[in-house]
């Protein structure tokens, strides 16, 4: 019954996409890849999420043609929007619009496996715990990984600091140098506005042991309804892939230079996106209150 | 002709290993258990605890060139922890000392992937050089971890003996009595933890026996993970084996299993986490160094766990 419901709202993925996905993974006799991915489950989840991508966030992509046709790849975007919808949308873009399609491996938090149901679903969809060992392993087997060097520093920002890139870790560059993986910088423009956080209730976050608790004009005021993301148009701008050369064990100062290059490229792509799409998409009202600088 | 001493010799896995080795060596069997009714061992068989002095006499009498230590007492056998610790840790140390003193040139010790521990921070492919977390999570697994330590310490300290420590994934098959094989063979409803479905690895008993026999026959030393073809979620494995999963919420399952254990109804509490968090091992080193590849795929392994011929693939 669930299946027929799904077919009604979410049409199957195009055949060339399905074929491309099948070619990009190594499945065993039972239909699972070495990390526990199952394509049937992943396809169903992608179909269900497609509505969010096409109708809710009306995603536009730029520069996907720059992606190499195959081989290992590291996608490095800015991170924003309280809940990681940006990761989901990038994953959908790479499946639905990149040719050949790429199944993206997201890196989830370490506490994630203790969550029932969701952790199982995420594993079946090809996500793994964000651990350098897992990243190396995935890249050596020619997979595409998604890394947010800002981590929760990016997602937990208040609205006043929208589109300000937070500090980047250096681990992703060392990983790229070790595995000779091209890095694709990506700007996500719009996700900042899905949850305009006015205040981070840090004391509550510490109490319930989560990284941050945003207060938005709608949450917690409107309860569960307020927890829905605003239907902002989201643009994904893919930069040119960049293969860094160098010693993976170079001191931090040298690695930092490469980090800054990637960060600079993302900042440039964000500026390009904001210039092309100047108005706030869903938050005219909040802005009119004069709340933001 | 070579003489090989096999421990755990009354068990089904030892029998399969013995059959692999029987052609090119004389076999001597030792076990704390008697031979099962109707069972036999292809060579002299001694029943003794590994800590007993009689065991050393078996070494003196037969002077084995190789020791194959398969006789780890598992938690499922309802032995007290104290007893398990004595036999598995002290017993193993005694056996290794005897092997060294009486001129064995090769030692193969069967450990288990359980030593890595089912931890939520595990990354997907655990290599041999990673920390053994099992006893940090469940002290009941300390004997398995200590056995493994005793073997790896011996490996480094006594380099004139070639020592191989094998850490296999779940070994399953129609002849084995381990918990996971019994669950898969049950044909009925097999418990799973509601909401959790960790990927697991299974190697067929005949493939495991071949892997062990190969390390006995061929030159080499080291610590190796041994796995089957691929990973499969626990619920999927249950269905492939012809049974049905029965999801139980973990808040109920953990206390329930603890209570049942008190009445000696078998399901070791300290193995529950292996049904919650994946503990997937990386077997590339063993495949590369020993040229080992399992003959049966994961699907074939699970479909034949009840001894039936592999069914046609769906």
């Amino acid at each position: 019954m669930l299946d027929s419901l799904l077919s009604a709202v979410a049409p199957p993925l195009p055949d060339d996409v399905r074929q491309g996905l099948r070619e990009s993974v190594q499945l065993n006799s039972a239909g699972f890849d070495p990390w526990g991915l199952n394509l049937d489950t992943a396809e169903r989840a992608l179909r269900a999420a497609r509505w969010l991508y096409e109708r809710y966030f009306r995603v536009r992509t730029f520069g996907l043609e720059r992606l190499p046709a195959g081989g290992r790849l590291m996608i490095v975007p800015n991170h924003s929007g309280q809940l990681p919808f940006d990761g989901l949308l990038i994953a959908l873009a790479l499946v639905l619009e990149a040719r050949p399609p790429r199944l993206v491996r997201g890196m989830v938090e370490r506490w994630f496996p203790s969550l029932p149901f969701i952790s199982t679903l995420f594993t079946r969809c090809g996500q793994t715990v964000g651990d350098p060992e897992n990243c190396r392993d995935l890249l050596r087997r020619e997979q595409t990984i998604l890394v947010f060097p800002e981590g929760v520093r990016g997602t937990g920002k208040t609205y006043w600091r929208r589109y300000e890139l937070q500090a980047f870790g250096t681990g992703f560059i060392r990983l790229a140098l070790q595995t000779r993986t091209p890095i694709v910088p990506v700007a996500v423009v719009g996700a900042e506005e899905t949850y305009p956080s006015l205040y981070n209730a840090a004391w509550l976050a510490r109490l319930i042991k989560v990284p941050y608790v945003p207060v938005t004009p709608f949450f917690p005021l409107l309860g569960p309804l307020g927890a829905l993301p605003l239907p902002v148009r989201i643009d994904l701008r893919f930069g040119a892939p960049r293969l860094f050369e160098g010693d993976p064990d170079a001191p931090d100062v040298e690695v930092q230079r490469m980090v800054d290059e990637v960060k600079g490229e993302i900042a440039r792509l964000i500026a390009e996106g904001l210039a092309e799409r100047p108005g706030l998409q869903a938050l005219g009202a909040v802005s009119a209150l004069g709340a933001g600088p | 002709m070579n003489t090989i001493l096999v421990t755990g010799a009354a068990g089904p896995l030892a029998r399969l290993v013995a059959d692999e080795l029987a052609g090119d060596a004389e076999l001597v069997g030792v076990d704390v258990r008697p031979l099962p009714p109707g069972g036999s061992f292809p060579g002299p068989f001694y029943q003794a605890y590994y800590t007993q002095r009689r065991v050393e006499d078996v070494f003196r009498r037969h002077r084995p060139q190789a020791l194959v230590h398969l006789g780890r007492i598992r938690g499922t056998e309802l032995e007290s922890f104290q007893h398990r610790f004595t036999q598995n840790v002290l017993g193993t140390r005694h056996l290794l000392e005897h092997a060294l003193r009486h001129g064995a040139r090769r030692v193969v010790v069967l450990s288990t992937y359980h030593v890595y521990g089912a931890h939520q921070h595990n990354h997907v492919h655990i290599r041999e050089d990673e920390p053994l977390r099992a006893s940090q999570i469940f002290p009941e697994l300390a004997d398995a971890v200590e056995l493994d330590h005793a073997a790896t310490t011996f490996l480094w300290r006594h380099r004139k003996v070639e020592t191989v420590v094998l850490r296999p994934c779940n070994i399953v098959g129609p002849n084995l009595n381990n918990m996971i094989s019994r669950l898969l063979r049950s044909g009925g409803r097999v418990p799973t933890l509601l909401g959790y479905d960790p990927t697991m690895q299974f190697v067929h008993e005949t493939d495991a026996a071949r892997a062990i026999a190969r390390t006995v026959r061929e030159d080499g030393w080291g610590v190796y993970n041994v796995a089957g073809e691929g990973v499969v979620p626990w619920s999927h494995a249950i269905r492939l084996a012809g049974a049905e999963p029965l999801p139980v919420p973990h808040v109920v399952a953990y206390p329930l299993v603890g209570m049942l254990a008190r009445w000696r109804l078998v399901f070791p509490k300290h193995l529950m986490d292996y049904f919650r968090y994946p503990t997937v091992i990386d077997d590339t080193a063993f495949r590369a160094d020993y040229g080992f590849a399992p003959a049966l795929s994961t699907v074939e392994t699970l479909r034949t766990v009840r001894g039936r011929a592999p069914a046609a693939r769906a």
Side-chain angles (χ1 to χ4, degrees):
Chain A
M1 199 202 78
L2 256 172
D3 260 358
S4 55
L5 188 72
L6 184 64
S7 332
V9 295
L13 299 177
D15 284 339
D16 59 329
V17 171
R18 302 184 65 195
Q19 185 59 34
L21 287 181
R22 238 154 260 284
E23 281 162 17
S24 68
V25 293
Q26 311 133 351
L27 302 178
N28 65 34
S29 62
F32 294 86
D33 93 334
W35 296 275
L37 163 94
N38 179 264
L39 267 188
D40 296 333
T41 314
E43 272 178 29
R44 254 181 250 158
L46 288 166
R47 279 164 62 185
R50 201 174 163 185
W51 179 84
L52 274 182
Y53 181 88
E54 287 174 353
R55 300 290 164 81
Y56 198 83
F57 292 117
R58 294 150 291 141
V59 175
R60 295 189 301 178
T61 57
F62 304 86
L64 268 174
E65 69 286 347
R66 290 167 164 165
L67 262 53
R72 57 188 76 171
L73 203 58
M74 190 187 288
I75 309 286
V76 180
N78 57 318
H79 208 7
S80 60
Q82 313 298 327
L83 291 178
F85 281 105
D86 43 2
L88 175 72
L89 298 177
I90 289 170
L92 282 157
L94 289 171
V95 168
L96 298 171
E97 299 193 34
R99 287 296 171 273
R102 280 175 179 271
L103 197 119
V104 182
R105 312 302 191 124
M107 299 286 136
V108 300
E109 291 286 337
R110 278 177 182 275
W111 50 266
F112 208 78
S114 61
L115 279 181
F117 301 105
I118 302 176
S119 62
T120 306
L121 176 68
F122 271 52
T123 307
R124 295 297 161 271
C125 293
Q127 316 297 299
T128 58
V129 170
D131 163 311
E133 287 289 330
N134 280 340
C135 295
R136 255 192 295 276
D137 203 16
L138 284 158
L139 292 173
R140 287 197 178 124
R141 300 191 213 192
E142 308 303 339
Q143 301 295 305
T144 306
I145 69 168
L146 177 62
V147 178
F148 290 104
E150 289 173 278
V152 294
R153 292 186 295 271
T155 42
K157 292 194 301 282
T158 51
Y159 188 63
W160 331 126
R161 295 160 70 195
R162 60 187 181 273
Y163 303 113
E164 276 175 27
L165 291 177
Q166 304 300 302
F168 275 39
T170 52
F172 75 102
I173 292 284
R174 291 190 192 279
L175 207 58
L177 292 173
Q178 274 168 14
T179 54
R180 296 191 49 82
T181 304
I183 290 178
V184 176
V186 180
V188 182
V189 180
E192 298 273 8
E193 297 153 37
T194 53
Y195 293 102
S197 169
L198 304 174
Y199 171 67
N200 172 20
W203 54 274
L204 183 60
R206 269 195 301 275
L207 193 72
I208 58 175
K209 290 182 179 157
V210 293
Y212 48 81
V213 176
V215 175
T216 75
F218 318 103
F219 181 82
L221 202 65
L222 301 184
L225 196 66
L228 289 177
L230 297 174
V232 190
R233 177 193 284 287
I234 292 178
D235 288 351
L236 304 176
R237 293 182 171 264
F238 293 81
R242 174 76 199 272
L243 182 65
F244 286 99
E245 304 274 350
D247 175 9
D249 287 317
D252 271 345
V253 279
E254 283 174 42
V255 174
Q256 191 60 46
R257 238 171 276 143
M258 302 179 201
V259 173
D260 291 341
E261 265 184 63
V262 175
K263 197 173 166 181
E265 179 61 12
I266 296 173
R268 196 187 64 73
L269 289 165
I270 291 176
E272 207 177 273
L274 287 173
E276 198 260 348
R277 196 199 74 149
L280 291 176
Q281 291 285 308
L283 288 179
V286 176
S287 191
L289 291 173
Chain B
M1 203 173 187
N2 267 340
T3 303
I4 301 172
L5 190 146
V6 180
T7 68
L13 184 62
R15 180 65 219 226
L16 291 166
V17 173
D19 288 344
E20 287 281 334
L21 294 171
D24 38 49
E26 265 170 39
L27 299 170
V28 180
V30 182
D31 202 320
V32 297
R33 305 163 291 187
L35 280 173
S40 65
F41 186 81
F45 176 86
Y46 301 87
Q47 188 192 352
Y49 283 111
Y50 304 133
T51 42
Q52 278 178 314
R53 261 181 294 175
R54 309 175 35 202
V55 171
E56 186 166 11
D57 207 49
V58 178
F59 278 86
R60 289 197 194 98
R61 192 175 325 166
H62 294 280
R63 303 268 164 188
Q65 278 84 31
L67 163 68
V68 183
H69 183 29
L70 309 177
R72 182 171 60 89
I73 300 176
R74 294 183 306 263
T76 44
E77 284 160 20
L78 290 178
E79 306 281 359
S80 76
F81 175 64
Q82 206 99 47
H83 175 71
R84 249 193 303 140
F85 195 91
T86 307
Q87 283 311 306
N88 286 343
V89 183
L90 297 181
T92 299
R93 299 175 77 101
H94 281 261
L95 287 167
L96 294 173
E97 278 162 27
H98 302 331
L100 182 70
R101 185 171 309 153
H102 301 291
R105 291 194 310 266
R106 176 155 304 141
V107 168
V108 176
V109 178
L110 187 68
S111 177
T112 165
Y113 84 104
H114 286 154
V115 293
Y116 294 114
H119 197 280
Q120 56 170 317
H121 290 180
N122 279 345
H123 46 247
V124 179
H125 298 108
I126 303 176
R127 286 190 321 269
E128 290 85 350
D129 55 359
E130 301 201 25
L132 308 184
R133 283 178 158 144
S135 55
Q136 168 205 334
I137 306 164
F138 282 107
E140 292 91 332
L141 281 167
D143 64 315
V145 175
E146 285 289 319
L147 185 157
D148 192 287
H149 275 315
T152 48
T153 308
F154 184 85
L155 182 158
W156 292 110
R157 189 171 289 166
H158 304 291
R159 297 301 301 276
K160 60 179 183 186
V161 182
E162 285 192 332
T163 304
V164 181
V165 182
L166 298 177
R167 295 177 184 153
C169 66
N170 298 299
I171 306 177
V172 296
N175 297 302
L176 300 189
N177 295 319
N178 57 29
M179 175 192 62
I180 211 102
S181 296
R182 283 201 306 258
L183 284 173
L184 289 172
R185 278 201 306 261
S186 73
R189 306 277 280 177
V190 177
T192 63
L193 293 173
L194 182 67
Y196 297 97
D197 201 8
T199 42
M200 293 191 184
Q201 291 156 300
F202 301 92
V203 64
H204 194 266
E205 55 185 27
T206 53
D207 278 326
R210 275 201 311 119
I212 295 165
R214 193 170 283 199
T215 57
V216 179
R217 264 196 230 107
E218 290 177 20
D219 290 337
W221 56 273
V223 184
Y224 291 102
N225 292 334
V226 181
E229 179 224 355
V231 301
V232 61
W234 175 229
S235 69
H236 210 83
I238 294 170
R239 288 203 189 89
L240 283 169
E244 270 301 309
L246 171 67
V248 182
H250 72 275
V251 286
V252 177
Y254 279 69
L256 191 68
V257 163
M259 266 162 55
L260 292 179
R262 215 169 298 156
W263 296 320
R264 309 215 128 192
L265 295 171
V266 182
F267 199 93
K269 195 173 78 188
H270 54 270
L271 295 182
M272 290 286 281
D273 271 9
Y274 294 88
F275 297 93
R276 191 169 178 194
Y277 303 122
T279 312
V280 175
I281 53 176
D282 179 352
D283 65 339
T284 43
F286 189 64
R287 285 171 184 252
D289 293 359
Y290 281 91
F292 175 80
L296 291 173
S297 74
T298 298
V299 168
E300 287 160 346
T301 300
L302 290 162
R303 287 222 169 115
T304 55
V305 77
R306 281 203 272 173
R308 295 166 295 160
R313 288 187 194 184

